[in-house]
Amino acid sequence: MPLAGVDGTIIPIAVLVIIFASVTTIVASYFKLQRHRGDAAALAEYRKLAERVTEQQGEMSAQLAELGERVKAVEKLLQSVG
């Protein structure tokens, strides 16, 4: 025959522990989600930066190619004069 006082105390404590564990899990999951959202935003900014750098690098390559052609033209002019 179980003791009435023990069963009457264990069940409410078990329910409170389950509720506390559930709330703790929900709060931890929420903050983990917020951290991942922050990481995703930073990654999106990084991608935009990488795209801009790639575009600028292409522009710089074109400018360097044009400059190389101009230098060749100046060298040719100097050789024809000298």
Side-chain angles (χ1 to χ4, degrees):
M1 182 162 151
L3 299 173
V6 174
D7 286 340
T9 306
I10 292 177
I11 293 173
I13 291 174
V15 169
L16 288 176
V17 167
I18 291 170
I19 291 172
F20 178 74
S22 299
V23 169
T24 303
T25 303
I26 290 169
V27 169
S29 297
Y30 173 77
F31 285 112
K32 188 175 182 181
L33 175 66
Q34 293 303 317
R35 185 175 64 226
H36 285 301
R37 283 183 182 174
D39 292 345
L43 185 59
E45 287 295 322
Y46 177 76
R47 284 182 182 153
K48 288 179 185 177
L49 176 65
E51 289 174 3
R52 278 188 284 167
V53 166
T54 303
E55 290 174 10
Q56 290 176 353
Q57 186 177 11
E59 292 172 4
M60 292 297 281
S61 294
Q63 289 176 354
L64 283 174
E66 182 184 343
L67 187 60
E69 291 173 8
R70 287 183 180 187
V71 168
K72 286 180 184 177
V74 168
E75 288 177 348
K76 188 176 181 181
L77 180 65
L78 288 174
Q79 287 175 353
S80 67
V81 171

